[in-house]
Each structure stands twice: as C-alpha cells, then as structure tokens.
Amino acid sequence: MSEAEVYLFTGPENGEKNDAVAAIRDAALKKNGTLDEYKFYASEARVADVVAQLQNASLFSPALFVRLKNAELIKGKADVELLVSYIKSAVGSPNTLVLESDENSVEKKVESAVPSGHKRIFWELFENQKPQWVQRYFQRNGFSVTPDAVEQILDMVENDTESLRSECSRFFFCFEQGHRVTAEDVDKILSHNREENAFTLFDALADDSKSPRDRLETSLGILQKIRLSRDSRSFTLVAGLTYCFRQLRLWHSLHSKGASPTESQLRAAGFAGKKVQARCRRAAKIWGPGTTASILSLLADTDIAIRSGGAAQEEVRLSMLLYAVVIKNGIYPAEYEAL
C-alpha cells in the first residue's frame, strides 16, 4: 500500500536533518523529472496557504516539493485539522511535504497522521562524537586540526553539524590545503568574524557572570550585529529566542521539587549536549519558572506586535524586548528606567 509523501523531521541536529531532506528531494526529482520547490515558515505562513499550494497543480512541473519549518507552531484546531486532512488525502499525490521542527515533537494529531516510516528525530551528537566529527570534516577537506583548536571551536559554535560545517568551512578560504589549524587560527578566524544569532544572543542574556546592566549592553550590541547581518528578519530572531526559553521552561520542569534527572532523561528531553545543559544551567540561575513563563508570553506578544506594526517599529520593539528580559523579568515597560 502506498503512503503519502509527507515527512516529519524534528530535533536539534539540523545538519543531518538537512541532509535527509536533500535526499528526499533528490529522490522526488529523480522520480518526477522536475520539481517546483517552496519553503514556508509556520511562524509567518498560513497553513491554509501551504495546503492550497500543495493541492493546486503546477503549470511548469509534474510535482511540488514543499518544506514547512517551525512545524511545532501549528497548534490551532482549524490549522491542525486542515493539515491532518491533507496528509490523509495525499496518498498517491506526486507532491512532497516535509514538516520540520527544531523541537522534538509537534502537535500529536499531526504527528500521528504522518506515516510511521516517515518520522525521525534528529538528536544532537554525543559529546564524544563532536571532536571526531570536527577532525574528520577538516581531514576530508585536506586540513588537519590540533586538539585545543577542536575544543575551542566546539566551545564557540553551536554543536549541530550544520553550524559546525558552516563555521569550519571558513578556514578553507583562509589557508592552503595541508594547513594545520591551531587555537590561534580559531581565535583569528572565528572570534573576530563570528556571526551572531539568537543562540549567541541568549548566551549573552544568560551570562550570570555579568551585572544586568552589562548583560543588557552586550545583548544590545549583538542585536545590532544581527540586524546588520544577512538574516536580519525579526521573526527568525524571536523564534530562536522562543526556542531557547522553551528549553529553559522544560529544564525547570525536569528539575522541579529538587529532582536530579539522569543523563539519559536529559537526552530524551532534548538536552543531549553539555553545551546546551550548561546554557540552561546558567539561565536557570537568572530566570525561575514564573519569570520564564512571563518572558515566553512577552516573546509571543512581541512577535505579534512586530508583524502588525510593520518594519518601522521593529528596532524599538526588539530593543525593548531585551530590556524587559534583562531588567524587568519579562514585563514589558512603558518606558526605559535608569539602571
């Protein structure tokens, strides 16, 4: 019996996830000859528009290939029912839909509708796998790397293979093949050319070694760098911060009433790497469960306000968001107060 060409890929390991999506895309291209390809974000596209796109035949290709990212945000009853209805009716359709999320699960009804063999959680690499991955990546590209350079790279870069691949490839443009990358090279290439993102911003917000004033100053500087970068879309930044604070909320839940979850329990909940555990441990010292809930509510309100208010207010909204997170514990202030 044939199954709908609908896939659900979840989890934080975006490198392997993107490789799996590419393999499905290549198989669909081989089968159909040509494809019309679309990428949507659930944070900005209506489910009805995505489904309509899948149901309408293409004028130029025999099949569509559609990626719908941030699928964990599909929660409304009407949206869930519409998506589930499409999945059930898609058997025999040449079109492919890939639902993607950095979280470990999506709405249960959506998850249940996807064929069981088309679902996969992409977990973060084990700690002992990360140095090996970095070393092999350099070797495959004709370079070697010292152990202390590997350690420094892992300390500076998000430990999913997509981020590691992107950052490590910088060295290939700066040195000749055969070069041995050292810690000094890492400091020169990554420290001074580091791309900021929602995760580095969260790290700055959660730096418990600094005063609130210093954390706010550093965070506002990172915000400016992000706004000047290639991907300066505010909804992407807000979505990234929301993901980090959802992780923190789950961290508080696992540690409620003095509980000490085991390593296997942490991994099952999505805290596979020492880096993400250390991030949440630091953040938990600053924001308790109640404050975390307030910040998540503030992030949702900020996302709505930016979408409805237009680009003119984005800068102010984002700056006030950081001020509220650091200084006001998630309460949006009417005006700035002296620190």
Side-chain angles (χ1 to χ4, degrees):
M1 180 177 176
S2 63
E3 295 179 314
E5 288 298 312
V6 179
Y7 298 82
L8 175 61
F9 291 161
T10 60
E13 218 310 293
N14 287 315
E16 291 187 4
K17 189 189 303 177
N18 286 334
D19 290 343
V21 173
I24 293 172
R25 183 256 181 200
D26 290 345
L29 182 62
K30 183 177 180 180
K31 178 180 179 181
N32 294 284
T34 59
L35 294 172
D36 275 355
E37 300 183 43
Y38 299 88
K39 182 188 292 185
F40 297 97
Y41 292 83
S43 56
E44 58 176 300
R46 298 192 313 152
V47 172
D49 293 336
V50 178
V51 171
Q53 185 72 65
L54 285 160
Q55 291 175 332
N56 291 331
S58 171
L59 296 175
F60 307 103
S61 299
L64 304 179
F65 186 83
V66 176
R67 299 176 67 175
L68 179 54
K69 301 174 77 69
N70 304 131
E72 76 281 356
L73 299 178
I74 303 172
K75 296 182 180 295
K77 182 180 179 181
D79 287 341
V80 169
E81 290 179 350
L82 180 60
L83 185 55
V84 169
S85 176
Y86 168 76
I87 295 171
K88 291 180 178 178
S89 68
V91 177
S93 170
N95 298 334
T96 301
L97 171 63
V98 183
L99 302 169
E100 302 176 48
S101 173
D102 289 343
E103 298 197 9
N104 297 334
S105 62
V106 299
E107 171 65 38
K108 291 300 181 185
K109 290 182 179 179
V110 174
E111 189 170 334
S112 298
V114 177
S116 59
H118 292 186
K119 293 182 283 192
R120 181 178 170 187
I121 300 177
F122 293 82
W123 300 105
E124 187 176 329
L125 296 176
F126 285 110
E127 286 300 306
N128 62 352
Q129 294 176 316
K130 295 172 184 177
Q132 298 171 8
W133 189 97
V134 173
Q135 290 169 348
R136 286 197 299 267
Y137 186 70
F138 275 101
Q139 289 169 358
R140 286 198 304 269
N141 287 277
F143 292 78
S144 61
V145 57
T146 63
D148 55 343
V150 171
E151 183 178 350
Q152 191 167 346
I153 289 170
L154 292 173
D155 186 55
M156 296 177 65
V157 181
E158 285 301 310
N159 289 176
D160 66 271
T161 55
E162 181 181 41
S163 298
L164 287 170
R165 186 182 292 120
S166 174
E167 294 301 311
C168 290
S169 64
R170 291 172 178 265
F171 295 91
F172 308 152
F173 297 98
C174 299
F175 302 104
E176 296 288 338
Q177 280 195 342
H179 180 79
R180 184 171 177 80
V181 176
T182 66
E184 291 75 14
D185 295 331
V186 174
D187 185 65
K188 182 188 302 181
I189 302 301
L190 296 189
S191 294
H192 299 295
N193 298 281
R194 185 182 183 182
E195 287 191 8
E196 305 288 3
N197 53 43
F199 296 101
T200 60
L201 178 56
F202 183 82
D203 285 339
L205 292 169
D207 187 353
D208 63 325
S209 68
K210 294 182 178 180
S211 68
R213 180 171 183 169
D214 288 340
R215 284 191 288 126
L216 178 60
E217 182 178 348
T218 301
S219 300
L220 288 172
I222 292 174
L223 173 62
Q224 291 303 313
K225 290 182 180 179
I226 294 174
R227 297 289 290 165
L228 294 172
S229 68
R230 289 173 295 177
D231 189 359
S232 60
R233 296 172 296 179
S234 59
F235 65 82
T236 303
L237 176 60
V238 173
L241 289 176
T242 299
Y243 172 78
C244 292
F245 278 101
R246 283 177 178 164
Q247 278 193 313
L248 179 58
R249 179 177 62 187
L250 179 56
W251 181 269
H252 281 305
S253 176
L254 292 171
H255 292 81
S256 63
K257 299 180 180 179
S260 298
T262 63
E263 188 66 29
S264 61
Q265 289 173 323
L266 289 173
R267 179 173 178 80
F271 300 98
K274 295 297 183 183
K275 186 172 183 177
V276 68
Q277 292 180 24
R279 170 187 291 143
C280 287
R281 195 173 291 113
R282 289 194 304 271
K285 295 178 183 178
I286 298 175
W287 303 295
T291 302
T292 301
S294 295
I295 292 173
L296 283 168
S297 178
L298 172 65
L299 285 162
D301 290 343
T302 300
D303 186 57
I304 293 171
I306 288 175
R307 292 178 187 279
S308 61
Q313 293 296 316
E314 283 189 16
E315 197 75 35
V316 173
R317 284 282 179 184
L318 290 172
S319 297
M320 291 292 281
L321 168 67
L322 300 189
Y323 178 81
V325 168
V326 175
I327 306 300
K328 304 295 290 183
N329 290 327
I331 305 300
Y332 195 84
E335 59 185 15
Y336 285 108
E337 300 171 2
L339 302 182

